[in-house]
């Protein structure tokens, strides 16, 4: 059985965020040979900074990680009915690197949020943010983890069979997409 490298991107910087927990569960279901979490602690995009110093090393590292991954899983919180600024900033910075590391990259999008919609709107907007980069975004099943702070066991596993089954199905579809290449 082929082994794949998976890049995990959390739109939340907080170490204990439910989006990070959800990504770890996604990696477990994907059963990747290697799963690496990206660091989005990047400077705010500033054209003057780019003109003076070029693309920051941390941004280039992120672009290289995207390029090298067999697949990417992104989990976004929903802040004020949209994805986090951290995630949008990372996408903007990566768009300034050479080439397009997202081109045809298999990508799964998840969301975990405190609200009862589970970040559904943020996830929809994030898919629009990704569209110009032309990745291969897996259509579904949708994983919108509502009241996410209540949905994890102490060990980090999802409590709900419904969420776990949807996540497993999405990761199986992502893995099938990677295997078909």
């Amino acid at each position: 059985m082929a082994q794949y490298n998976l890049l995990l991107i959390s739109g939340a910087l907080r170490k204990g965020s439910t989006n990070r927990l959800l990504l770890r569960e996604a990696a477990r279901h994907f059963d990747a040979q290697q799963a690496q979490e990206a660091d989005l602690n990047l400077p705010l995009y500033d054209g003057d900074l780019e003109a003076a110093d070029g693309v920051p090393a941390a941004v280039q590292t992120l672009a290289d990680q995207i390029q090298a991954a067999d697949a990417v899983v992104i989990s976004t919180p929903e802040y004020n009915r949209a994805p986090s600024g951290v995630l949008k900033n990372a996408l903007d910075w990566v768009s300034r690197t050479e080439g397009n590391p997202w081109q045809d990259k298999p990508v799964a999008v998840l969301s975990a949020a405190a609200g009862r919609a589970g970040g559904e709107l943020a996830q929809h907007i994030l898919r629009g943010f990704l569209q110009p980069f032309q990745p291969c975004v897996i259509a579904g099943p949708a994983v919108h983890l509502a009241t996410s702070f209540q949905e994890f066991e102490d060990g980090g596993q999802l409590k709900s069979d419904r969420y776990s089954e949807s996540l497993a199905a999405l990761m199986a579809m992502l893995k099938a997409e990677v295997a078909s290449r």
Side-chain angles (χ1 to χ4, degrees), residues 63-74:
D64 293 345
Q65 289 173 323
I66 295 165
Q67 183 67 47
D70 293 305
V72 178
V73 180
I74 305 171

Side-chain angles (χ1 to χ4, degrees), residues 1 6 17 31 35 49 55 57-59 98 109 112 114-115 128 142 148 150 155-156 166:
M1 177 180 241
L6 188 64
S17 83
D31 192 29
L49 173 66
V55 172
V59 172
E98 289 294 319
V109 176
S148 61
Q150 299 175 353
S166 293

